[in-house]
Amino acid sequence: MFRTALRNVLAHKARLLMTLLAVMLGVAFVSGTLVFTDTLSQAFRNQSAKSYDDVAVSVSMYPSPEEARKSPGLSQKNVDDVAKLAGVASVTPRVDGFAGVPDKNGKLIGVGWSNKGTNFAPGKDGKDRAYDFVKGTGPVEAGQIALDQETATKGGYKVGDSVRVATNGPVKEYALAGVFTTEDGAVNAGGSLVLFDTEVAQKLYLKPGFYRDMTVTAAPGAAEGKLLDEVTKVVPKSADAETGTALADKQAKEIEEGLGTLNKVLLGFAGIALFVGIFLISNTFTMLVAQRTKELALMRAVGASRRQITRSVLAEAGLVGLLASTVGYVLGIGLAVGLRSVMAAFEMKVPGGDLVLTATPAVSAFGVGVLITVLAAWLPGRRAARIPPVAAMSSVHATASTKSLVVRNSIGAAVTALGAVLIVLGAGQGGDTGQMLIAGGAFLTLIGVIILIPFLSRPVIAVIRPVFVKLFGVSGKLAGLNAVRNPRRTGATASALAIGLTLVTGLSVLGATVGSSLDKTTTDQIKADYMVSMASGDTLSKDVLTALEKTPGVTAVSPQQWGSLEVKGAYSSASGVTPGAIDKLLKLDVVQGSMSALGGNTIAVDTKMAEMSRLKVGDVVPVQFMDKQKGKVTIGAVYEPSTFVSSILADHRLIGEHEDDAQIREIFVSTSGGASAAHEKALSKAMGDNPAITVMDHKDIRDSFGGPINMMLNIMYGLLGMALIIAVLGVVNTLAMSVFERQQEIGMLRAIGLDRPRVKRMVRLEAVVISVFGAIVGIGLGSFLGWAVGETLRKSLPGYALVLPWDRIAIFLVLAALVGVLASLWPARSAARLNMLAAIKTE
């Protein structure tokens, strides 16, 4: 039987090639994902270990606002005390923060959040062990800086050049003293690193004489654990001290967790591809069994048992799975290499390192590939073994019994109904619980629809068939009839497309709905012409606010300055704004009082805050500020909650009196005549053409909110494209099987006048009918799931309303039809080339 299986594999190369491709793609994704994450994880671990190679103990201090008033960080005395300890070879103190460098066109180099500045901390030999200088030296004067090599190259800077550097304050120019290489995480993340003289860095980021952290190098023979105990005794209690080994392990674990999420996402898509592939594999082996029905019957007649027949089919599947897994594993290694290149293309710098090939990806690849193929072939093999020899010899295929169809449809309807109920309950429940119910319901509904899809094929195709008849005449009518001739096979083929389009449509509906809500948030709530913020996400300096207020053409300016107030025993976040301007810049729906009352000790609260703390207009409320000072405020207005401000609105001067640093998140600006290129240029010039500060108009604000959603959707579409490729292969297989079964019929049609072009058209239209049927099922189910998930987000999205992206849905339908046309090229050509007389004689 094994020799028979091997012979059959070699005898049906074209058919099995499509199965090989389906399994191969899924296996490649699984193995590639595992190899990629293993390689990336090892590279980051090596980099992490290298970064802490000489670190015996690391000390950092991030004090609370109260503690910061006494000591904002580690003092020079703390550093000196640690340096005096026995077993300490050297101490390197650091202070860091945001620093951005523009290129020659004034654009910020790198991503805002990964652009960093720190101090150059040379030892007794004049070198800083964290940086290897390839040109020049480190900064030793207030007017000097050093840049990492990649930033210097991108900006076209060389030693001696004047470089503009943006921090949270005004842009300043420094002389470039040197260029260095480093393993610093900011640079490896695609950002930039600027080294300042220590005193300059302290003034920029903390306070003169203070540091954020320090690393301790041990003298030969000194134990890390003992040194940690000694260091802990001389540093402030609020400081965190860890050994270098513990810190490296901690960072490695964080990397592992971060990559674990990526791993799960990629493996999820691999699972979808393999799940879709099951239908193709099952169809392939159904076709092969159908072609060999008489052969199998003869084997049964000469003594082969049912088990031997089943084992023969499964052995054939195992050989196909083994071959596909081998090729898929090799392709997966190539995919892992390709993913690293893609990350580099998106300026996501990945640490160098060798490709890591462990046993896990190989075992997973072969285990998944062979197992999926054998499982998918089991049902056709079992079905083949159950056909009586006499019946098999007299019929090419057996018709499913009425009882089996009734049982199948009943089970499918019950599972679908249960899933739909769970989805509706989840939509009503909302939150995490609701999303869990929807996930369970979606799984059941998808399984139920797959079981039920042969039953659905007749009514759905009956609706779309008249269109084909009207447009294409006899060819269209025959295509519609052929599509429902074998509902099970048609349903299995359409299922592959339906699964892919369910996910794609669900994501599109959800993305369009969330995007529309965010778009409404910006257009409905922002009346200002511009929103100014830091590219890094850090806070803006008060100097920026002052500069904008003095800019010609500006009619209204207000910061969104973060603060907090303790009201009736509970702290609530507060937004410091400019009275008289904020209501011109943001649309705030006032339900009680008036925003004109805002100012001095009069504040406004949103309806949630008012309800929770039982506040109303005119109330005089005792409060406590962040600096623990107490006072009284009057409630001047109550407004509906807004995305852009906190639950309390207060004069920014009142907030500033009790905060050491202005925590200005955004500044809203209106100009005379509205937004224009001239106004934008004037605002940028007023802020010193600071590349780290972004000036966004309404379109930019919408893009900043909707951009990540669109990017996520595009990535999802790309990944799900693989599942659709497998679905195309499934359509090819189904048509090939249909042509094989209808050779005699096609010969008769040719004999009575149906020419070759119309035969080709008939087969192509059959493919289009099947593809569009799968698309309709997928789009309907995807829209339902998109609505349900959207309902769980309703409370967190102001202005939520379901949006069906009809343009994308239309594109999906057109693509489905195109899939059918492409998939039918080979089967249609084969059908048209059949010899009439030979086909008529076919049994």
Side-chain angles (χ1 to χ4, degrees):
M1 296 307 287
F2 179 77
R3 283 199 303 272
T4 303
L6 183 60
R7 185 201 67 193
N8 288 324
V9 168
L10 297 174
H12 301 94
K13 300 182 187 70
R15 302 281 190 275
L16 292 171
L17 178 61
M18 288 174 279
T19 301
L20 282 168
L21 287 171
V23 180
M24 186 178 68
L25 287 172
V27 168
F29 222 110
V30 171
S31 58
T33 296
L34 294 173
V35 170
F36 173 66
T37 50
D38 283 348
T39 301
L40 213 58
S41 180
Q42 187 61 48
F44 277 117
R45 275 198 216 97
N46 292 341
Q47 184 190 76
S48 177
K50 189 176 179 181
S51 300
Y52 294 105
D53 212 15
D54 297 327
V55 178
V57 177
S58 176
V59 184
S60 60
M61 186 172 172
Y62 293 88
S64 65
E66 289 180 37
E67 293 170 330
R69 291 186 179 90
K70 299 176 184 176
S71 178
L74 298 165
S75 66
Q76 186 62 50
K77 183 179 181 303
N78 297 144
V79 176
D80 294 339
D81 288 345
V82 171
K84 292 173 186 176
L85 294 173
V88 172
S90 65
V91 180
T92 306
R94 301 281 184 203
V95 58
D96 55 45
F98 170 77
V101 176
D103 59 19
K104 295 298 184 182
N105 297 319
K107 288 189 69 177
L108 189 68
I109 296 173
V111 186
W113 57 267
S114 60
N115 292 332
K116 178 180 162 187
T118 189
N119 61 302
F120 176 64
K124 293 177 182 178
D125 58 357
K127 296 180 180 180
D128 190 326
R129 60 186 179 79
Y131 312 107
D132 296 320
F133 280 82
V134 293
K135 292 177 184 176
T137 61
V140 291
E141 296 177 7
Q144 293 181 334
I145 61 162
L147 290 176
D148 68 273
Q149 191 172 30
E150 203 156 319
T151 301
T153 302
K154 287 178 181 176
Y157 297 115
K158 57 183 184 294
V159 173
D161 284 354
S162 180
V163 181
R164 298 172 72 242
V165 180
T167 57
N168 288 11
V171 178
K172 293 183 180 179
E173 290 195 357
Y174 298 86
L176 183 60
V179 177
F180 59 88
T181 59
T182 179
E183 292 295 328
D184 190 280
V187 177
N188 286 318
S192 62
L193 181 61
V194 182
L195 296 184
F196 297 96
D197 176 65
T198 296
E199 289 185 8
V200 173
Q202 287 176 330
K203 288 177 184 176
L204 284 172
Y205 300 125
L206 204 57
K207 194 175 179 180
F210 288 91
Y211 302 93
R212 184 62 68 205
D213 51 55
M214 61 177 159
T215 55
V216 181
T217 305
E224 273 190 354
K226 187 176 180 182
L227 201 56
L228 176 64
D229 294 337
E230 294 299 318
V231 169
T232 305
K233 293 175 185 177
V234 297
V235 297
K237 291 181 180 180
S238 58
D240 295 319
E242 291 182 275
T243 63
T245 303
L247 208 57
D249 290 343
K250 183 179 176 182
Q251 194 172 80
K253 189 176 179 181
E254 289 173 355
I255 291 167
E256 197 88 27
E257 289 173 356
L259 291 175
T261 303
L262 174 66
N263 202 19
K264 288 173 184 175
V265 171
L266 293 176
L267 285 175
F269 284 102
I272 292 167
L274 288 169
F275 185 55
V276 172
I278 287 174
F279 297 98
L280 170 57
I281 298 163
S282 182
N283 264 4
T284 300
F285 279 94
T286 299
M287 178 168 64
L288 294 175
V289 167
Q291 289 177 338
R292 290 163 43 212
T293 302
K294 287 192 176 183
E295 177 191 326
L296 294 173
L298 283 170
M299 291 172 67
R300 287 288 312 283
V302 298
S305 67
R306 286 185 176 184
R307 288 186 178 180
Q308 284 179 309
I309 296 295
T310 303
R311 281 202 297 265
S312 172
V313 176
L314 294 182
E316 191 176 337
L319 287 171
V320 172
L322 189 64
L323 181 59
S325 298
T326 304
V327 180
Y329 177 64
V330 174
L331 283 178
I333 294 172
L335 180 65
V337 175
L339 282 171
R340 290 182 70 170
S341 302
V342 168
M343 291 183 75
F346 281 96
E347 297 189 351
M348 298 168 67
K349 193 173 178 183
V350 179
D354 297 329
L355 201 66
V356 177
L357 298 176
T358 62
T360 304
V363 171
S364 300
F366 285 94
V368 167
V370 175
L371 185 65
I372 289 291
T373 311
V374 170
L375 284 176
W378 175 77
L379 192 58
R382 182 171 173 269
R383 200 177 293 144
R386 292 180 66 183
I387 299 174
V390 175
M393 286 180 185
S394 61
S395 176
V396 174
H397 61 275
T399 305
S401 68
T402 304
K403 181 182 177 182
S404 68
L405 291 174
V406 170
V407 170
R408 176 181 179 135
N409 293 340
S410 300
I411 293 172
V415 173
T416 304
L418 178 60
V421 168
L422 286 175
I423 290 171
V424 172
L425 286 174
Q429 176 76 28
D432 293 339
T433 305
Q435 289 171 8
M436 290 296 289
L437 285 171
I438 290 171
F443 177 76
L444 289 175
T445 304
L446 202 57
I447 297 298
V449 168
I450 289 168
I451 297 171
L452 204 57
I453 205 165
F455 171 75
L456 295 173
S457 63
R458 289 186 183 277
V460 174
I461 292 176
V463 172
I464 61 178
R465 189 168 59 201
V467 177
F468 287 86
V469 174
K470 189 172 183 180
L471 292 174
F472 303 104
V474 174
S475 296
K477 183 177 181 179
L478 290 172
L481 292 171
N482 291 333
V484 294
R485 177 173 293 188
N486 190 328
R488 281 186 172 176
R489 191 171 63 235
T490 297
T493 305
S495 294
L497 272 172
I499 292 166
L501 283 172
T502 294
L503 297 169
V504 170
T505 305
L507 287 170
S508 297
V509 170
L510 190 59
T513 300
V514 173
S516 173
S517 176
L518 293 175
D519 189 50
K520 284 181 181 177
T521 297
T522 56
T523 54
D524 290 356
Q525 294 191 29
I526 297 182
K527 295 195 286 185
D529 297 318
Y530 298 101
M531 185 173 81
V532 178
S533 61
M534 288 290 290
S536 62
D538 290 337
T539 57
L540 292 156
S541 163
K542 284 182 179 178
D543 296 337
V544 174
L545 178 62
T546 304
L548 291 173
E549 288 173 337
K550 295 178 180 178
T551 305
V554 170
T555 56
V557 180
S558 175
Q560 201 283 93
Q561 180 175 339
W562 184 86
S564 66
L565 294 174
E566 184 184 328
V567 180
K568 293 190 174 181
Y571 269 104
S572 295
S573 61
S575 291
V577 298
T578 301
I582 191 62
D583 52 335
K584 298 175 185 176
L585 299 165
L586 295 179
K587 184 181 178 182
L588 298 170
D589 297 323
V590 179
V591 295
Q592 289 181 33
S594 171
M595 281 294 168
S596 60
L598 189 66
N601 287 331
T602 300
I603 65 170
V605 297
D606 68 16
T607 52
K608 288 183 180 178
M609 176 81 180
E611 185 179 347
M612 183 178 66
S613 300
R614 296 181 181 178
L615 301 173
K616 62 181 185 297
V617 172
D619 286 354
V620 178
V621 186
V623 296
Q624 181 170 289
F625 297 95
M626 282 296 290
D627 59 0
K628 298 301 181 184
Q629 290 189 30
K630 296 183 179 180
K632 290 185 178 181
V633 296
T634 303
I635 308 299
V638 177
Y639 58 93
E640 292 289 346
S642 168
T643 306
F644 293 95
V645 292
S646 302
S647 54
I648 298 175
L649 283 181
D651 191 326
H652 71 89
R653 291 177 286 267
L654 176 65
I655 298 293
E657 288 174 9
H658 303 278
E659 301 284 346
D660 290 338
D661 297 316
Q663 299 286 313
I664 300 175
R665 306 294 187 189
E666 300 96 16
I667 299 176
F668 297 99
V669 182
S670 278
T671 53
S672 57
S676 68
H679 282 316
E680 189 171 335
K681 188 176 180 180
L683 294 175
S684 296
K685 187 177 179 181
M687 295 180 291
D689 291 320
N690 191 326
I693 299 178
T694 59
V695 180
M696 295 187 286
D697 59 17
H698 275 228
K699 181 181 180 301
D700 295 328
I701 296 169
R702 282 197 298 269
D703 290 345
S704 69
F705 280 97
I709 294 172
N710 291 329
M711 183 182 291
M712 180 198 73
L713 284 175
N714 290 333
I715 291 170
M716 297 292 187
Y717 291 157
L719 293 171
L720 288 169
M722 187 174 64
L724 295 178
I725 290 171
I726 295 172
V728 171
L729 299 176
V731 177
V732 175
N733 256 12
T734 295
L735 291 174
M737 186 173 184
S738 180
V739 169
F740 165 76
E741 289 180 354
R742 298 189 343 251
Q743 287 184 62
Q744 190 178 58
E745 177 189 317
I746 292 169
M748 290 294 293
L749 289 170
R750 288 289 316 283
I752 62 174
L754 195 69
D755 57 17
R756 286 185 175 182
R758 283 192 285 182
V759 169
K760 284 184 179 180
R761 191 182 306 149
M762 175 186 72
V763 176
R764 288 194 190 112
L765 291 175
E766 183 181 344
V768 171
V769 168
I770 294 170
S771 298
V772 171
F773 165 53
I776 290 171
V777 173
I779 288 169
L781 188 54
S783 300
F784 179 49
L785 289 175
W787 162 80
V789 176
E791 286 295 311
T792 66
L793 304 173
R794 179 181 286 274
K795 291 181 180 177
S796 59
L797 288 173
Y800 170 87
L802 177 67
V803 175
L804 291 176
W806 294 110
D807 53 343
R808 293 186 188 181
I809 288 173
I811 290 171
F812 296 157
L813 282 170
V814 170
L815 287 176
L818 184 61
V819 161
V821 172
L822 292 174
S824 67
L825 292 178
W826 173 54
R829 185 168 174 268
S830 299
R833 293 179 67 185
L834 283 174
N835 182 285
M836 278 187 284
L837 295 177
I840 290 170
K841 289 191 295 180
T842 301
E843 295 182 6

